[in-house]
Amino acid sequence: MSVKVKKKGYWILFALSILLTILAVKTVLPDAEATKESDLGYRACCSFAPWSTLILLFMTMINCKLRKNLLTYRTDENDSTAA
């Protein structure tokens, strides 16, 4: 039976994924005090919405792929080299 093992730094990248996702959502939220309208036609927290949202979500996707491929590996429970 194989077990997933997480290397050092996994949780830092996981927290970064959460932060980037929260920021992506925040960029499309309406803000009455914003100085410019976004490309969607309303005053949002970020005047570059939805482009900034897409960029942040793309960065989140890259972060998740890196975290999965570089910082996670499988090992056997009965592996004699693990001792």
Side-chain angles (χ1 to χ4, degrees):
M1 181 172 175
S2 63
V3 177
K4 284 186 180 178
V5 177
K6 295 173 178 78
K7 295 181 184 177
K8 186 177 181 180
Y10 179 90
W11 295 108
I12 294 170
L13 288 181
F14 183 75
L16 182 61
S17 293
I18 292 173
L19 178 67
L20 288 172
T21 304
I22 291 170
L23 290 175
V25 171
K26 184 171 172 41
T27 60
V28 293
L29 294 177
D31 184 10
E33 298 177 6
T35 57
K36 294 183 181 180
E37 286 187 358
S38 68
D39 288 343
L40 296 174
Y42 66 94
R43 295 178 187 261
C45 290
C46 180
S47 61
F48 298 113
W51 311 116
S52 58
T53 306
L54 293 174
I55 291 168
L56 285 166
L57 290 175
F58 182 71
M59 290 170 56
T60 304
M61 181 193 69
I62 291 172
N63 186 11
C64 288
K65 294 286 185 183
L66 287 174
R67 189 178 75 234
K68 179 186 174 204
N69 293 329
L70 298 178
L71 299 178
T72 305
Y73 64 93
R74 292 186 180 271
T75 185
D76 292 331
E77 282 183 353
N78 299 330
D79 189 4
S80 62
T81 60

